[in-house]
Amino acid sequence: MKSLPLSISILLSASAPAQINPPVNIKTKDAHLTPTTYHISSKSPADFISAATTECRAKFTAFTYGEIEDHIYFKMISPISSWICVNAGEAMEYGYESTHTGEKAYYNYKNATWHIQTNPHHNKEISPNSMLDLYNITSKNAKGYAVIDSISLPQNPPRKKIHFCMIHKLQALCGDGETIRQEDSTNIDITPQALKLIESIEFE
C-alpha cells in the first residue's frame, strides 16, 4: 500500500470553498425538495466497509422530497449504494479504471489534480459509445474526484455508474452507485444530484 506524504495529506485536507470542476448545477429551489443531512460511518444503516487504519466519519447533504429516515434513504434513495473507508494513499494509488472505455482516473502529484489516461490497447469496438467523465471535487474539508462511467452496450439499456473518493488527511471515503433510475417507465438521470452530494461531504 502506498503511503501518503505529510505535505500532500495537509494539502488535501485544507479548508477551501466547495466546488466541482467542471461545474454542475441542480435545481434545489423546488418547494418540495428538502435538504437533509445524513451521517455515514460503520454505524450507519448502509453498505459500509471500513478498511482504513482510522475509521471514516462524515456527513453530507441530500435533497429529497421530504425528510426520509436513514435506513430508507441508504437502502432505497441514495445514489451511492456502497461505501468504503480506505487509507488515502491507497485511494490515490489505484484511482478508477473503466473496463468499458479503457480509461483510468489517476492522481497527478505535480498539479494535485485528477486526470484521465487512455489505454491505447483497449478495444473500442466492444463499447464504442461508452465514455468516462471525470470531476475534480473540493468539499469543506476534503478533496477528491468522481467519475461517471457511461455504459452503452448493444441490446442493453443505458447505464451510468458513479465512483468517487474524497480524501481528508490520511483517510479516503469512497463509494459506488448508479445514477440512471427508472420511474414510471422513464429513465431519470440523477448524476447532478449525486455529484452535489459528494461535494457536500464533510469529515467529522
Side-chain angles (χ1 to χ4, degrees):
M1 182 180 296
K2 192 172 184 177
S3 61
L4 185 66
L6 180 60
S7 58
I8 295 178
S9 69
I10 293 174
L11 175 64
L12 290 172
S13 60
S15 179
Q19 65 176 355
I20 301 174
N21 186 23
V24 171
N25 295 307
I26 60 172
K27 296 179 180 180
T28 59
K29 294 183 179 181
D30 187 327
H32 300 289
L33 285 174
T34 302
T36 305
T37 299
Y38 293 95
H39 295 262
I40 183 71
S41 70
S42 61
K43 297 181 180 180
S44 302
D47 181 359
F48 184 94
I49 297 175
S50 184
T53 304
T54 305
E55 182 183 330
C56 297
R57 297 180 62 88
K59 61 182 179 180
F60 61 88
T61 299
F63 287 87
T64 58
Y65 288 96
E67 294 187 9
I68 300 174
E69 294 183 10
D70 286 16
H71 69 283
I72 296 177
Y73 174 79
F74 282 111
K75 298 298 182 183
M76 302 178 63
I77 308 297
S78 173
I80 308 303
S81 57
S82 62
W83 307 73
I84 183 170
C85 177
V86 299
N87 293 326
E90 184 176 0
M92 296 171 70
E93 179 179 2
Y94 293 107
Y96 175 87
E97 186 168 2
S98 171
T99 58
H100 302 280
T101 69
E103 296 171 303
K104 179 177 181 178
Y106 72 97
Y107 186 72
N108 187 316
Y109 287 86
K110 291 183 179 180
N111 56 24
T113 55
W114 293 85
H115 296 265
I116 286 183
Q117 183 179 50
T118 301
N119 179 357
H121 303 293
H122 177 73
N123 184 0
K124 295 183 179 180
E125 295 182 359
I126 297 176
S127 52
N129 297 319
S130 297
M131 64 179 65
L132 189 69
D133 293 315
L134 170 69
Y135 298 85
N136 277 272
I137 301 180
T138 300
S139 69
K140 185 175 181 179
N141 63 357
K143 290 185 178 181
Y145 74 96
V147 288
I148 304 299
D149 201 349
S150 300
I151 304 168
S152 180
L153 298 173
Q155 314 280 320
N156 287 278
R159 295 177 59 198
K160 282 190 176 182
K161 295 173 60 179
I162 186 170
H163 172 81
F164 79 91
C165 281
M166 293 298 288
I167 299 170
H168 171 76
K169 296 183 178 179
L170 300 179
Q171 301 170 307
L173 178 63
C174 305
D176 295 276
E178 299 262 356
T179 62
I180 290 185
R181 291 180 174 171
Q182 192 172 73
E183 297 180 7
D184 299 325
S185 300
T186 302
N187 287 332
I188 305 297
D189 190 342
I190 59 170
T191 299
Q193 292 90 329
L195 292 171
K196 296 298 285 187
L197 181 160
I198 297 167
E199 182 191 33
S200 73
I201 289 176
E202 179 181 353
F203 282 77
E204 300 179 301

